Amino acid sequence: MRKTKEEAKRTRQALLNAAEHLFIEKGLSRTTHNDIAQRAGVTRGALNWHFAEGKLDIFSALLERKRQMPERLAEHMACCERSIACPAATMRRILIGDLQELTHDAQLQRILLICTQHCEFAGEFAWVRTQLDASVDRFLEIVGDTLERAQAQDEIRLADSLTTTQGARLIYIHLKGLVEEWIHRREMFDLEHNAELLVDSILRSVILWQQPRELHAPAE
């Protein structure tokens, strides 16, 4: 029985791996069930057994494998909600760490590539847009709250009379553009080694630090 379960697990992973690469090569809509089964080296029946709803189930499983960037950021940014001292500095550290982590996570890079270029969020896949929008809204809520608390602690003030809502949206827009550009054209800049510089540039467009520089990067 153990061998059967292990074989089933390997087959499922092979199907997911095949689909992940095919969705990048051909796009979600143009990839067929037969394409996935053939690339995985299994029968169409095996695909149907593991994923009764076909591509819908497969794509859902891929997203469960690696949470999308807004969802990951929202989860990590929740640390700012628990940070009593220096919430903006905590946010800065988390954003830098997430960008650096992305450069070492090839699977997350592929998922982001599928979702930013090869996925049509319509019809049976419309739920993907709903899921991503919810993650973005959560991220914006946390960033806005972080900026508000950082202002109250006199850690920062917002540039150009921005509201915390506007500031959160600008941070998200800049991060989204940065990540998507790097995913598609990595030769443009070294994300891993320039993450700190890039995050600081983004934050400078929104906030003005009111505390000494050494307080901007609190220890883990």
Side-chain angles (χ1 to χ4, degrees), residues 125-145:
F125 292 101
W127 60 270
V128 179
R129 171 53 59 196
T130 301
Q131 177 176 301
L132 290 176
D133 286 347
S135 297
V136 171
D137 289 344
R138 176 61 176 152
F139 175 77
L140 293 174
E141 178 186 357
I142 293 173
V143 174
D145 176 70

Side-chain angles (χ1 to χ4, degrees), residues 71-98:
E71 184 181 356
R72 290 162 61 89
L73 283 170
E75 181 179 291
H76 295 165
M77 286 288 292
C79 293
C80 295
E81 294 184 309
R82 300 188 294 270
S83 176
I84 298 175
C86 302
T90 301
M91 175 178 69
R92 173 185 178 272
R93 174 170 51 81
I94 290 169
L95 294 177
I96 292 170
D98 264 47

Side-chain angles (χ1 to χ4, degrees), residues 181-197:
E181 193 62 35
W182 181 79
I183 287 291
H184 295 292
R185 301 181 62 190
R186 299 178 198 187
E187 72 280 1
M188 287 190 67
F189 52 89
D190 184 339
L191 183 59
E192 179 183 8
H193 295 101
N194 292 320
E196 184 174 357
L197 172 65

Side-chain angles (χ1 to χ4, degrees), residues 146-160:
T146 299
L147 295 176
E148 185 173 342
R149 288 187 297 106
Q151 282 190 111
Q153 295 181 23
D154 200 31
E155 182 187 14
I156 65 165
R157 64 183 177 86
L158 296 182
D160 300 322

Side-chain angles (χ1 to χ4, degrees), residues 26-99:
K26 302 181 66 172
L28 183 59
S29 62
R30 291 185 295 276
T31 299
T32 68
H33 294 162
N34 287 335
D35 289 335
I36 297 171
Q38 184 176 8
R39 176 69 65 89
V42 303
T43 65
R44 172 67 183 274
L47 184 150
N48 294 337
W49 188 84
H50 284 278
F51 300 101
E53 297 297 323
K55 287 193 292 184
L56 185 63
D57 281 354
I58 291 173
F59 193 64
S60 178
L62 286 177
L63 291 184
E64 289 176 6
R65 257 183 169 184
K66 289 292 178 179
R67 298 184 307 280
Q68 288 300 282
M69 205 67 182
E71 184 181 356
R72 290 162 61 89
L73 283 170
E75 181 179 291
H76 295 165
M77 286 288 292
C79 293
C80 295
E81 294 184 309
R82 300 188 294 270
S83 176
I84 298 175
C86 302
T90 301
M91 175 178 69
R92 173 185 178 272
R93 174 170 51 81
I94 290 169
L95 294 177
I96 292 170
D98 264 47
L99 291 182

